[in-house]
Amino acid sequence: RVQSFAANFEHAYEGGVLRKKVVERGTVLIRKPGQMHWTYTSPERKEFISDGRTMYSYLPEDRQVVVAKVPAEDDASSPALFLAGKGDIVRDFDASAGALPGLRTDEYALKLVPRRPQQEYDWLVVVVSRPRLEIRRLVTTDAQGGTSTFVFTKLRENVRLPDKAFTFTIPRGVEVITDGTRSR
């Protein structure tokens, strides 16, 4: 029933090859199917925008934009794309009740293991509130042993989001990388 949502988030990545913890914060707008706008505000600014067909990754400090096609629904692998309504939970995952450190009594956790191996993650856990089933956290683990946790706060469901929130204009003077090809 949720067609759109807006929230603040905290993204913590811990472990992996470097064995360190990085915490970032920002806001997210999601509108199904496949539209999203992640704005990281701390510690550095960066944006990830999808209009449903094209994904833009903008790193202002690096003066760089990476442009990629959004995968077809049956090829969607990213947990973020999953949140944006791409993919099919029944077709794409084996699901089980999840156990997660810090799970509160007013939360449910659902562990989703992809039926096809994914490059980006081994599994994900979706934590929702009881009884409203609002998303509170998304946790993934990767092949390097790193854990990525998104905690959502100030969540507002089925909000009216303007089309321009999912439109990205490439700034002048930045390096643009499309399918591995660089240009200015």
Side-chain angles (χ1 to χ4, degrees), residues 85-162:
K86 290 282 192 175
D88 182 315
I89 194 169
V90 174
R91 178 195 68 211
D92 299 337
F93 298 97
D94 289 321
S96 61
L100 197 64
L103 190 67
R104 299 178 354 196
T105 57
D106 66 339
E107 296 175 325
Y108 293 114
L110 183 64
K111 183 174 184 178
L112 302 171
V113 178
R115 292 191 174 162
R116 292 185 326 208
Q118 301 295 318
Q119 282 186 305
E120 299 164 351
Y121 65 99
D122 291 335
W123 51 261
L124 64 113
V125 173
V126 178
V127 177
V128 296
S129 67
R130 299 181 192 203
R132 296 205 47 215
L133 302 179
E134 291 175 330
I135 188 164
R136 288 193 175 159
R137 283 184 281 163
L138 178 66
V139 181
T140 66
T141 187
D142 60 36
Q144 291 79 35
T147 300
S148 196
T149 303
F150 287 88
V151 176
F152 300 100
T153 58
K154 297 184 180 177
L155 183 94
R156 296 172 293 132
E157 295 178 340
N158 293 321
V159 293
R160 183 180 287 264
L161 300 172

Side-chain angles (χ1 to χ4, degrees), residues 6-94:
N8 292 347
F9 71 85
E10 179 178 281
H11 176 201
Y13 181 81
E14 188 167 9
V17 176
L18 299 178
R19 299 281 173 222
K20 67 177 190 172
K21 183 174 183 175
V22 177
V23 178
E24 301 174 292
R25 290 175 181 78
T27 58
V28 63
L29 305 173
I30 302 275
R31 184 168 67 186
K32 295 179 181 179
Q35 296 178 315
M36 56 188 165
H37 191 145
W38 296 80
T39 302
Y40 284 72
T41 56
S42 170
E44 75 178 88
R45 185 164 176 81
K46 52 188 173 179
E47 292 184 79
F48 302 94
I49 301 138
S50 170
D51 60 13
R53 295 175 307 281
T54 306
M55 177 76 132
Y56 301 91
S57 302
Y58 177 42
L59 308 170
E61 285 188 21
D62 296 341
R63 306 219 21 90
Q64 185 179 78
V65 175
V66 177
V67 182
K69 292 288 178 202
V70 172
E73 188 163 319
D74 54 353
D75 289 329
S77 62
S78 166
L81 287 172
F82 169 74
L83 277 179
K86 290 282 192 175
D88 182 315
I89 194 169
V90 174
R91 178 195 68 211
D92 299 337
F93 298 97
D94 289 321

